[in-house]
Amino acid sequence: MRYVGKPLKRVVEDVPLITGRATFVYDITLPSTLHAVFLRSQYAHAKFKVHCRGLCYTAEDLPVKVGLAEREAVYVGQPLAVVLAEDEYTARDLVSSIEVEYDPLPAVVDPIKATEESSPKARSDLKSNVFREERVEAGDVGVALRRAHAVVEGTLLNQRLIPSAMEMRGAVASYDGNRLTVWSSTQSAFFVKKAVQGLVSKLGVRSVRAVQPAVGGAFGSKLMTYPEELAVSALAVLTKRPVKWFNTRAEDMASTNQGRDMILKFRAGVDRQGRILGIEGTLYFDAGAPIAEVNESAFGMASTAARMITGHYDIGNVNVRVLGVNTNKTVIEAYRGAGRPEGSYFIERIVNLAARKVGVDQFEIRQLNSLKEANQYRTPTGMTHDSGRYWEALERAKPAYLELRRKRDEMRSRGETAGVGVAFPAEIASFGPYETAKVKLTSGGKVQVVSGSGPHGQGDGTAFAMIAADVFEVDPSQVEVLWGDTDLIADGQYTAGSRTVAIGGAAVYEASLRLKERLAKTAAEAMGVDVAQLEYSEGKFRRKGDGDSMDLSRLFDASLSMGVVPEESYSYVQKLYYSPYGVHLALVKVDRETGEVRVLDYRAFDDVGTVVNPLTTEGQVHGAVLQGVGQALYEAAIYGDDGSLLSTDFLSYHVPRPKDYVRVLWTSLGLAKSDNPLGAKGIGELGTIAATPAVVNAVEDALNRELLTMPLTPEVVVRHL
């Protein structure tokens, strides 16, 4: 292919974003707009009564259920009521003047204590805080542990994180008496449309359009449709005026879904050489507040983490009990990786602890336990890896590991505290059930691509342009790419799970091929020849022999004159996920006086199938790695014993800053491909999954201490020193 596989700047996305001309939700204010501000619970758990006045609405005041709390609040920041005013400042003043009667109830914060019968309940009508239990079993762990030379045990924390997208959540809704239009900072316009449509149909509205403007980051936190989006949609219909809402940073940190928060109590058996014989344990998943529809969806992440406990290793004996637990915290839902970072973290830490126990090098123990390769390989815990050459990937990365180890030893010889960490992450990505694309020829012979997915900064629009440009043999600048509007295409899905280029790109490719075939028939008819007499190149159909040709511009006019609309749609159906993987290495230095950890060198060897655009892909790797480093060293959502969120701004919640930047030397291995037409597997989450254990393993190597908690802040490191 001419473009796929070549580095290309983001020709689709960058100009409006860099010049400041992109339209975000906050930029949209329609004539006669009412501004909505939500009254939020100040208590983690309390009975309440709101004394509304003016344009103030509680759950009881609305004729439809939008998700506002009803009589009992179960986390700080939960929306209790919504106030409307002519401007945002007036609305905020009105919210602060509303009288709320609270009757505080005991809050439960610790997920392990929450499983005890004597624990306070996260909602007063609950019989138990454990809302779901599952067991992941394979082989005979009891026999494996009895045969083991040594048993490694401990409690590993994968702490709660706050996604912290640059743009907070917001929405605008407008009803014209016939149709409701909703603009939302979302990862899926179609998810918003379907949720809102189900709501406002009860108010007599039959037509809904959802639009995703430019979105300033999400990482999974804008996948679900929130009560606020439903509330402004219903109020636009009820008031017959546009309604606009936008969170403050503090509101966003308290009310947007949070991520991770899993604890694994484990025992693992290992033989003298370092072979992992079996793993048993209990995985506590703190799902946050008892909101059933969110909890049930989120539990799948805990199940995935438990099933991925074998990683890419030959471990046949597993017994993990998975408990989904409610507490009085913000709900947990998808956050970059969604279950795979937690599962990979647990096994990568267990492998390192096992290596320390029996005195084996951390790279060698991975080679010893690694599966050699995969071809639709089903693990003992029920995960399927579509393709992979794991042994070869480790061999490719080993010289870099030895180089970093030499650097570490040189630093140690100078009295510095340095360490090297390895991670061999397993992932599943590019989920179904389908993704859609529509490709059409437009005036002047340009190609237009419409995707049903919802890119929001990843560079997928440029990837789609490259794919279509290759099929039609035109420059990518001749391809227009659109998405994020439910009026543009019949249906679509979402952008998340590293799926957009792999699944959405496959849809673009197939739709482009079908349109090209249709255009060939049209050109043949217009030129009075058989299709077999035509050949195509450089945007033109040419008749073999005499060179008579018809370019795409003429073909557009001819198509319409012949009663043919030159467009094709395609829905690419994904039957199973793909399994990207890699080997990541980190060299760190620890300041013995301050406890500060610096990542000096980071190497990533990733096998993600076909890389459509190496430039934007490497950008994804850099961002993903830094996000993983953030979890290892800086980030944690902190709650008080009463359930109050203490991390409400970027002074109390430390996301990586420019000084924390990590330079990544990235290598695309290209060893295994997926079965889609592009051969792509997905890349967006792998760096985040890998970087957290790689960095923790490196700090552990530097300190020569077992590290079971995160983040490894300077205070934590100093205690270990």
Side-chain angles (χ1 to χ4, degrees):
M1 289 184 168
R2 182 182 301 181
Y3 297 109
V4 169
K6 307 296 191 301
L8 186 70
K9 291 183 178 180
R10 302 198 314 179
V11 295
V12 173
E13 300 89 349
D14 278 358
V15 171
L17 291 172
I18 291 172
T19 60
R21 296 171 188 164
T23 299
F24 294 82
V25 165
Y26 196 78
D27 298 321
I28 301 169
T29 303
L30 305 174
S32 74
T33 291
L34 289 169
H35 293 260
V37 173
F38 288 83
L39 172 70
R40 300 183 183 277
S41 176
Q42 298 175 28
Y43 289 86
H45 193 195
K47 297 281 188 179
F48 70 90
K49 184 173 182 179
V50 178
H51 296 281
C52 264
R53 54 191 177 85
L55 292 177
C56 173
Y57 304 85
T58 64
E60 290 79 8
D61 299 321
L62 294 172
V64 289
K65 290 186 179 294
V66 299
L68 298 178
E70 299 181 42
R71 295 182 292 280
E72 185 174 347
V74 289
Y75 66 93
V76 170
Q78 185 176 17
L80 312 181
V82 56
V83 168
L84 301 179
E86 297 296 329
D87 62 76
E88 182 182 350
Y89 303 103
T90 302
R92 293 201 177 277
D93 287 343
L94 288 172
V95 164
S96 64
S97 69
I98 291 173
E99 181 185 348
V100 186
E101 293 180 35
Y102 287 105
D103 180 12
L105 297 169
V108 57
V109 179
D110 186 319
I112 297 179
K113 291 181 180 178
T115 63
E116 300 169 0
E117 282 190 26
S118 60
S119 169
K121 301 301 181 279
R123 196 176 60 234
S124 56
D125 63 343
L126 294 182
K127 292 182 172 60
S128 171
N129 289 317
V130 178
F131 66 87
R132 188 166 171 185
E133 180 174 347
E134 180 177 290
R135 193 171 287 275
V136 175
E137 295 180 277
D140 191 326
V141 172
V143 171
L145 293 177
R146 287 194 295 273
R147 286 175 44 221
H149 165 68
V151 173
V152 185
E153 58 187 315
T155 300
L156 290 166
L157 169 67
N158 199 276
Q159 79 273 26
R160 178 175 286 245
L161 302 179
I162 299 176
S164 306
M166 186 179 294
E167 179 202 29
M168 288 78 78
R169 291 187 296 114
V172 177
S174 178
Y175 181 56
D176 64 7
N178 177 49
R179 191 176 209 214
L180 177 69
T181 301
V182 183
W183 294 264
S184 174
S185 180
T186 179
Q187 291 174 242
S188 173
F190 285 98
F191 284 8
V192 172
K193 175 179 178 175
K194 290 166 187 175
V196 170
Q197 202 160 35
L199 177 80
V200 299
S201 63
K202 300 168 187 173
L203 301 175
V205 179
R206 295 287 174 259
S207 178
V208 173
R209 174 192 178 201
V211 180
Q212 176 205 51
V215 175
F219 308 112
S221 69
K222 297 176 182 176
L223 261 179
M224 67 178 184
T225 304
Y226 288 83
E228 296 95 336
E229 291 160 295
L230 298 177
V232 298
S233 299
L235 288 168
V237 175
L238 294 170
T239 64
K240 297 180 172 54
R241 290 178 64 178
V243 178
K244 178 178 180 177
W245 147 76
F246 199 79
N247 268 346
T248 64
R249 177 60 67 185
E251 286 178 306
D252 218 56
M253 296 182 90
S255 64
T256 298
N257 79 250
Q258 297 174 353
R260 312 285 189 256
D261 212 343
M262 296 186 197
I263 299 170
L264 180 69
K265 287 188 173 182
F266 75 93
R267 297 177 74 226
V270 56
D271 70 12
R272 291 179 184 275
Q273 288 72 42
R275 195 175 301 279
I276 310 294
L277 303 179
I279 301 170
E280 70 173 8
T282 301
L283 192 158
Y284 298 87
F285 170 46
D286 184 349
I291 299 174
E293 59 273 22
V294 181
N295 298 157
E296 287 300 316
S297 169
F299 185 82
M301 298 187 293
S303 178
T304 295
R307 293 180 186 280
M308 295 190 72
I309 198 68
T310 59
H312 288 310
Y313 302 110
D314 185 11
I315 303 172
N317 302 295
V318 174
N319 190 330
V320 178
R321 183 186 180 208
V322 186
L323 299 177
V325 184
N326 285 132
T327 60
N328 294 115
K329 301 176 187 172
T330 305
V331 292
I332 293 284
E333 247 295 353
Y335 177 54
R336 199 170 193 168
R340 290 98 77 200
E342 299 90 325
S344 257
Y345 178 77
F346 291 142
I347 182 57
E348 289 304 299
R349 294 295 298 120
I350 289 170
V351 169
N352 254 52
L353 292 167
R356 290 176 58 84
K357 188 80 171 180
V358 296
V360 178
D361 177 80
Q362 59 178 305
F363 199 96
E364 291 175 3
I365 197 172
R366 286 169 170 82
Q367 288 185 303
L368 176 68
N369 285 278
S370 171
L371 296 165
K372 296 297 182 279
E373 59 183 352
N375 182 10
Q376 297 301 318
Y377 171 77
R378 186 173 175 84
T379 71
T381 57
M383 306 303 294
T384 299
H385 300 311
D386 66 327
S387 62
R389 288 155 61 181
Y390 307 128
W391 178 260
E392 190 171 346
L394 286 164
E395 281 294 299
R396 290 276 297 273
K398 191 167 187 176
Y401 169 71
L402 296 175
E403 179 190 344
L404 293 186
R405 203 171 64 172
R406 283 194 298 272
K407 286 185 177 181
R408 176 203 66 184
D409 293 344
E410 289 170 5
M411 293 173 67
R412 288 178 175 178
S413 70
R414 297 193 297 267
E416 296 176 296
T417 303
V420 173
V422 184
F424 183 36
E427 190 192 1
I428 56 174
S430 300
F431 308 96
Y434 60 86
E435 193 53 89
T436 59
K438 179 166 66 176
V439 181
K440 60 183 180 180
L441 198 58
T442 63
S443 178
K446 286 198 171 185
V447 177
Q448 184 185 83
V449 171
V450 180
S451 174
S453 62
H456 44 278
Q458 298 89 342
D460 300 317
T462 294
F464 292 159
M466 295 168 70
I467 292 165
D470 268 337
V471 173
F472 289 100
E473 299 180 35
V474 298
D475 191 272
S477 64
Q478 295 298 107
V479 181
E480 179 186 29
V481 183
L482 304 174
W483 65 85
D485 187 335
T486 59
D487 273 4
L488 294 177
I489 193 168
D491 196 10
Q493 286 288 299
Y494 61 99
T495 287
S498 305
R499 72 186 296 275
T500 306
V501 169
I503 312 305
V508 170
Y509 180 78
E510 294 290 352
S512 298
L513 286 180
R514 282 158 175 74
L515 177 57
K516 189 175 176 183
E517 291 172 6
R518 171 181 279 206
L519 292 174
K521 294 175 184 176
T522 304
E525 186 175 342
M527 297 169 71
V529 298
D530 188 84
V531 172
Q533 293 179 266
L534 293 180
E535 58 186 8
Y536 181 89
S537 67
E538 307 292 336
K540 292 181 180 180
F541 287 97
R542 291 183 176 83
R543 187 164 57 196
K544 296 175 183 177
D546 62 10
D548 188 20
S549 67
M550 176 175 280
D551 64 19
L552 294 178
S553 179
R554 285 181 56 204
L555 191 51
F556 172 77
D557 297 329
S559 295
L560 296 177
S561 299
M562 296 164 61
V564 176
V565 178
E567 65 179 46
E568 281 287 342
S569 296
Y570 191 83
S571 175
Y572 185 84
V573 177
Q574 177 70 354
K575 296 182 177 64
L576 189 66
Y577 49 78
Y578 300 133
S579 51
Y581 63 98
V583 183
H584 284 225
L585 312 168
L587 171 67
V588 303
K589 176 183 176 181
V590 177
D591 187 313
R592 297 191 66 86
E593 291 187 4
T594 67
E596 183 181 9
V597 177
R598 287 180 54 214
V599 181
L600 302 180
D601 199 338
Y602 195 99
R603 313 285 179 93
F605 298 81
D606 291 332
D607 196 11
V608 295
T610 299
V611 175
V612 174
N613 186 344
L615 190 62
T616 56
T617 299
E618 189 164 356
Q620 284 290 298
V621 173
H622 279 257
V625 165
L626 188 56
Q627 216 157 350
V629 172
Q631 179 172 15
L633 301 180
Y634 315 120
E635 299 183 43
I638 306 300
Y639 281 82
D641 292 339
D642 62 352
S644 56
L645 178 64
L646 305 180
S647 311
T648 57
D649 56 33
F650 290 141
L651 292 175
S652 52
Y653 187 84
H654 181 179
V655 295
R657 298 181 172 94
K659 72 179 184 63
D660 304 316
Y661 170 75
V662 175
R663 183 179 180 274
V664 180
L665 185 61
W666 180 65
T667 301
S668 175
L669 295 175
L671 299 175
K673 294 185 178 181
S674 71
D675 63 0
N676 72 34
L678 302 171
K681 286 192 170 201
I683 184 62
E685 297 158 304
L686 188 56
T688 298
I689 294 168
T692 304
V695 170
V696 172
N697 288 342
V699 178
E700 186 173 71
D701 180 51
L703 301 182
N704 195 25
R705 298 277 195 283
E706 286 191 359
L707 302 174
L708 301 178
T709 189
M710 283 194 298
L712 298 176
T713 61
E715 295 82 2
V716 171
V717 171
V718 165
R719 283 202 301 271
H720 282 286
L721 284 168

